[in-house]
Every structure is written in C-alpha cells, then in structure tokens.
Amino acid sequence: MAETQHAEILIIGSGPAGWTAAVYAARALRDTLVVTGMQPGGQLTITTEVENWPGESHIQGPELMVKMQEHAEKMGAKVANDHIASVDFETRPFKAVGESGTVYTADSVIISTGAQAKWLDLPSEEKFKGFGVSACATCDGFFYRGKEVLVIGGGNTAVEEALFLTNFASKVTVIHRRDHFRAEKILQDRLFKNPKVEVIWNHALEEVVGDENPLGVTAARIKDVTTGAIRELPVHGVFVAIGHAPSTELFVGKLPMRESGYLITEPGSPRTAIPGVFAAGDVTDETYRQAVTAAGMGCMAALDAERFLSEQEAHVEAAVPAE
C-alpha cells in the first residue's frame, strides 16, 4: 500500500520561490512539506556565480540553494526528495502523487516548479554551461565586461538580451537562422542603432569552442544555413536566447494558463483560479525571471496560504454549534 503524507501546506518545487515559501509557511507554524522535484534548487543549481542576491556580493548558485534549504528546514519545513507525477485539485484535501508512489495530501498547495531555458541540445553547449554558455544575460552579463559575446535567437528574448549585454561587452554579435527577427519593431530599431551590435543572418550555432583547464569559451563555430559554410567567431560568452518553457505540464487541464504555458494568477497575487492553490516564481512570471523576484513571490504565496487556512479554520469554528 502506498505511503501517504499530509501537510497543511504542500510546496511543489524547490527553487528560490519554493524555499522562501517554506521559510514563511513553517515560520507561521504551519505543517509544511516541500517536494523538491527532479532538479532540487532549480535553475540556480546550474549557475556558477551569483552577484545580484541581496546581502551576498558573491556566492555560488548551488551554495545559495543549499543555504535556503537549510534555512527552511531550520524553521521546521519537511523535505521529500520526490518528483510529483500527478495532481488532483478537485478533491479536498488536495492530492499529489509522487513518482516514488507516495501520495501527498494537503490543505493548501504552492506551485513553484519554475521554468527552464530552451537549449539547442549541442554537446559543446552542455559542456560549457556555466563556463561561458548562459541563458540569462541579466544573471551573467556582468562577467563579460570588455569582452565579445554571441547571442543566439530572433525573438524579443534575444534582442532584449543583446541590448542588455551592450552595457558590458565590447561587442555583441547576434546570429539568427532566418533573415529577419520576430522581435517587436521598437526593439529591433534599438538593436540596429547600437554601434556595439552586429547581426549575422541565416546562421546557426554549430559548436562552442573553448579551453579545458579551466573550462572557458574562446570561440563559436557558426554555420550558414543556406550554403552550409562554417566559420569561427572569437567570443568569450555564448548566450542562448531562444526562450523559456515553464514547467507546467503537470497542470495542463488542471489550472488556467497562458498560451505560452505560464500559470495564470490574479493580478498582483499568487492566487490561482482554485482557492487554496497558489503559484509563485518563474512558473507564473515570464517577464522578470530573477531569483529575487521568485523569492518575493514565494513569500507572497506563503502569506496568502496562511490566510486561506486561517479563514477555513474560522469558518469551521463558526459552523460548530455552541453547547
């Protein structure tokens, strides 16, 4: 028979939003359980250096996630190293089933499954992730002051990343496999007017080239998609900017979501369409996608979950007839 665990607040996902929610929920003396998911710590576990976390001028991404987990557990949160395979929000208490077979029930749920950058799935790209290959200019652009970088993509994400990188890099080359961008016209105009930017049309990344010890990018081989010709660009950073995909497959048909797959919440709130179910962090935020904003949303979700539970308890007490 499958094991069943119950919590007042079940948190699905363990990035900055999840751990912050756990700190606040446990500190409110609520029975709190975090199910970590397949990538405990989220995207920060593949980020080497973090310099924009308040109070930490320099910290490794995995180290920051370990500290956040330790904080949550110190407050009293419990942790299950499992991956949720299915959820049922139509029953009360809510139910989630892990791949381990464990059934998790909860009076309130906070979804913080995050989002994943889309990658090109090149072996060399995987090799240099965190060592010259990135999917977040806002996170890592600072490390490329005075250096040449390459941005791959043709949508708003790519153009915005390229423009941001001009604040640091000496030159930003953008390659796109088509002969035009999909990005908004106003963004394209800004890009084309920037003297630091060069655009190479009809090209795709073929291979990332770099040093072995220590790991670091030195060049990128790009391929002309019309002629097949390959050439090498000397660059120190490669930014893959082909978009992000929210980790919401689990909630298809369970919760309203945008066409892009991001969960819909009430404006300025982590509340979803189902009372008692909240969403926080990159799973609902396709604009900022920062650790600090995710953490703030995790705080909001925990506070709202506490209010929801308190209101439910008040209703139960009011319904009990006086003796």
Side-chain angles (χ1 to χ4, degrees), residues 23-37:
V23 168
Y24 275 81
R27 190 169 179 273
L29 301 182
R30 292 294 181 179
D31 182 23
T32 303
L33 175 63
V34 180
V35 179
T36 60

Side-chain angles (χ1 to χ4, degrees), residues 102-120:
T102 301
V103 176
Y104 303 94
T105 60
D107 303 313
S108 179
V109 174
I110 296 174
I111 299 166
S112 56
T113 49
Q116 300 293 326
K118 295 179 182 177
W119 298 96
L120 300 168

